[in-house]
Amino acid sequence: MIFENLKIVVADDHPLLLEGIISVIEKEILGVEIFKANNGAEALQLVSEINPAITILDIEMPFLDGVEVAKKILEAKINTKIIFLTLHKERSLFNEINQLNIDGYVLKEFSILEISKCIKTVLNGKKYFSKEIEQFIEEPIIDFSVFTKSEINVLKLIAQEKTSKQIAEMLFVSTKTVDSHRYNICKKLNLKPEKNSLLKWVFQNSPIL
């Protein structure tokens, strides 16, 4: 596939992976001009100066990590499509990053095989995610910031199938306090006032607790 005047910034602090990705892109996408960065600060400077069509960011980089770079790009309203490269497969991290309305999320273990397909996909106005994390896309994003630290602790213990009495003993509080936490959690989750509604919710969402 040939693109004219297509500029891409690729940022990764692992030289071998960086060169490998660049080599694949140049081979499979003709007419591309690639600018490389070895850390987040360099990446942000390049994006600001070049205004590339696509910015590919490693999540973990020196000076600024990929998420910080992406946030600054969005704050500056730079018109570039953002693709993340990562080793991480955690749902919580993906949910956090996906709130930035990113265009692509590629796992590093598949990056050489997937990166060109990802670029072509996002250039066509669609989003691209590695198959192993596609399962997270349709799942609701839960904002855990609405819960207090005590409520989070109660949720984790409920996930371990602890009773209110056991939770109270483990947290050194009264059973009444635990029940109060349960009530507040249910209210924040908009759960119906049915028996075991919170327990059912916890079992359904236990992987992210």
Side-chain angles (χ1 to χ4, degrees), residues 20 34 65 71 97 103 121 124-125 128 131-132 138 159 172-173 175 188-190 196-197:
I34 299 178
D65 64 41
K71 288 180 178 178
I97 290 173
D103 296 280
T121 299
N124 284 322
Y128 183 95
K131 288 185 181 292
E132 288 196 31
E138 300 302 325
F172 303 103
V173 296
T175 303
K188 291 176 181 179
L189 291 172
N190 293 316
N196 295 327
S197 60

Side-chain angles (χ1 to χ4, degrees), residues 152-166:
I152 292 290
N153 289 335
V154 169
L155 280 169
K156 289 180 178 179
L157 290 171
I158 292 173
Q160 296 174 28
E161 301 185 48
K162 303 297 183 182
T163 64
S164 289
K165 183 179 179 181
Q166 290 172 321

Side-chain angles (χ1 to χ4, degrees), residues 38-54:
N38 299 112
N39 60 64
E42 285 182 8
L44 183 60
Q45 183 176 351
L46 279 173
V47 173
S48 300
E49 293 174 354
I50 297 165
N51 195 27
I54 291 179

